[in-house]
Amino acid sequence: MSPTDLAALAAYISPGLIAFLLALSLLVWLYVHSAAQLRNSRQQRLEELQESLRIYGRLAGCLQTATQNGFNTSEKQHQNGLIHALQEAKAAPYLTPHLQEQVQASLRECDTFRRELLLKSLEREMNKLIEERRLVLLESHAPGWGTALWKLLRPAAGPLALAGIVWLVSRLVAELIASNHVDVSLPDIAQSASWLKGYAWMRFVSGLIALLYVYRLMTLRRQNDLDVTASHFPTSLLCLVIAAVALFQWIGPEASPYILAVQLVLFLIGFRLTRGRSRSDRPYVGHPSLIKADASQHQDLHAAAKDKTADSSLAEEHFRS
């Protein structure tokens, strides 16, 4: 193309079209970047699940070997292997507080009863992790109709958040400019103009809070019965409610202080609802409820052992006769 043609093309393309194309390119780049981050997050999640299963499997193998062989404290090789597996279990990514307490109790005193109790807990947690791994692999390789659609929409959270922030800023600037053009010669008009500016800032802050919580809701990772973040459902519900409250701004600027106040109150309530169970609320090792449960399980195991012994003695007598 000749310089004359380039000049004519530059004159034809308006600055607004150039700005629109640049903004569109930025949004597409954000979408691709968010999709890559989500893909890396799923891969990291699979690696964490696999690491936890590997650690739990090694500990379960040591516990099962110790239970079957019935070794005592004099067999240092088996004891050191079990202690090493117990210490390694504390580094598992998906270690639950209940399982951590049982591991700590087994490190202090690892008798036959504690080994069998910890083995049952490990098998239960391993089954959960195996099911979680299956669901993650199914979501990655063979997603359903709704899951596939959500995988396409979820990376758009970043571009939508950026577009929302631009819209909020432009609305704030327009409202501030409109309030500055109000005639402030009269005292009442000056007071109302200052209130309009305050309403504009309150609407901007309220919309920004709603936008941030919509982004949080879209990027919140789904969990399937894993005791890692116990506040997943309350967090999702609070994000949805805080974002939905901002929709009442259509009532008028006068409702902005009340809407912002409700959002702030819900934000403070979130600290109470979304926190996990504190250490004082959870039954510790040695708690009366756990002692009763352990005693009942110990009695069941003792009764089963007596029945097994009686059955073996009856079989021996029958064989001798």
Side-chain angles (χ1 to χ4, degrees):
M1 297 178 65
S2 63
T4 306
D5 296 334
L6 291 176
L9 182 61
Y12 177 76
I13 299 176
S14 62
L17 181 60
I18 295 176
F20 174 76
L21 292 176
L22 290 177
L24 184 61
S25 302
L26 178 60
L27 293 178
V28 171
W29 178 82
L30 283 176
Y31 180 86
V32 174
H33 182 67
S34 299
Q37 281 188 334
L38 290 174
R39 186 165 54 251
N40 294 333
S41 177
R42 283 193 296 268
Q43 184 63 31
Q44 182 181 2
R45 190 178 180 186
L46 279 175
E47 293 176 357
E48 291 176 352
L49 289 169
Q50 191 64 31
E51 179 68 14
S52 298
L53 284 172
R54 183 186 63 82
I55 294 174
Y56 288 168
R58 182 179 302 174
L59 178 57
C62 293
L63 290 172
Q64 191 169 4
T65 302
T67 303
Q68 291 177 353
N69 295 339
F71 66 87
N72 50 31
T73 58
S74 62
E75 301 182 12
K76 296 296 183 181
Q77 182 178 1
H78 296 286
Q79 184 184 9
N80 293 335
L82 180 58
I83 292 175
H84 178 74
L86 287 170
Q87 293 289 354
E88 188 181 11
K90 293 192 295 184
Y94 285 91
L95 181 67
T96 61
H98 177 67
L99 195 58
Q100 182 182 3
E101 292 174 357
Q102 288 190 345
V103 169
Q104 288 293 120
S106 299
L107 283 172
R108 288 192 296 266
E109 182 181 0
C110 191
D111 53 3
T112 304
F113 170 68
R114 292 192 184 277
R115 286 199 300 266
E116 293 179 353
L117 189 63
L118 180 57
L119 182 59
K120 291 181 180 179
S121 300
L122 277 174
E123 291 176 351
R124 183 169 58 250
E125 293 298 326
M126 288 174 65
N127 291 332
K128 288 183 180 180
L129 295 180
I130 290 172
E131 179 65 17
E132 175 75 10
R133 184 181 60 180
R134 186 188 68 82
L135 292 176
V136 173
L137 290 173
L138 185 64
E139 179 182 353
S140 301
H141 301 291
W145 179 259
T147 304
L149 180 61
W150 177 245
K151 287 178 65 177
L152 292 175
L153 295 177
R154 191 179 178 188
L160 290 177
L162 180 60
I165 291 175
V166 172
W167 179 76
L168 288 175
V169 172
S170 62
R171 188 184 68 173
L172 175 65
V173 172
E175 290 178 352
L176 291 177
I177 292 175
S179 63
N180 289 330
H181 289 167
V182 176
D183 187 8
V184 294
S185 58
L186 298 177
D188 295 337
I189 301 298
Q191 186 177 4
S192 63
S194 62
W195 274 108
L196 287 176
K197 291 181 181 179
Y199 290 153
W201 280 105
M202 289 179 187
R203 292 181 68 182
F204 173 75
V205 174
S206 176
L208 187 61
I209 291 174
L211 188 63
L212 292 177
Y213 276 101
V214 168
Y215 178 80
R216 170 64 175 162
L217 185 62
M218 293 185 67
T219 57
L220 196 63
R221 192 177 75 178
R222 186 184 66 180
Q223 293 175 349
N224 302 292
D225 297 332
L226 289 181
D227 189 11
V228 178
T229 306
S231 59
H232 180 268
F233 177 74
T235 300
S236 303
L237 185 60
L238 274 177
C239 291
L240 184 61
V241 172
I242 291 175
V245 168
L247 296 176
F248 289 95
Q249 289 187 3
W250 64 270
I251 297 176
E254 294 79 8
S256 300
Y258 304 101
I259 294 173
L260 183 59
V262 171
Q263 288 178 322
L264 294 178
V265 169
L266 291 174
F267 172 75
L268 295 176
I269 292 176
F271 287 103
R272 176 67 179 176
L273 294 181
T274 60
R275 67 180 183 180
R277 297 176 63 189
S278 62
R279 183 64 184 85
S280 59
D281 295 335
R282 296 195 307 266
Y284 52 86
V285 179
H287 193 272
S289 60
L290 288 182
I291 291 177
K292 293 179 180 178
D294 292 348
S296 61
Q297 293 181 3
H298 185 70
Q299 289 177 0
D300 294 339
L301 292 174
H302 185 66
K306 288 179 64 178
D307 294 339
K308 187 183 294 184
T309 304
D311 292 340
S312 61
S313 61
L314 289 174
E316 291 178 358
E317 291 180 359
H318 179 71
F319 179 75
R320 290 175 182 176
S321 61

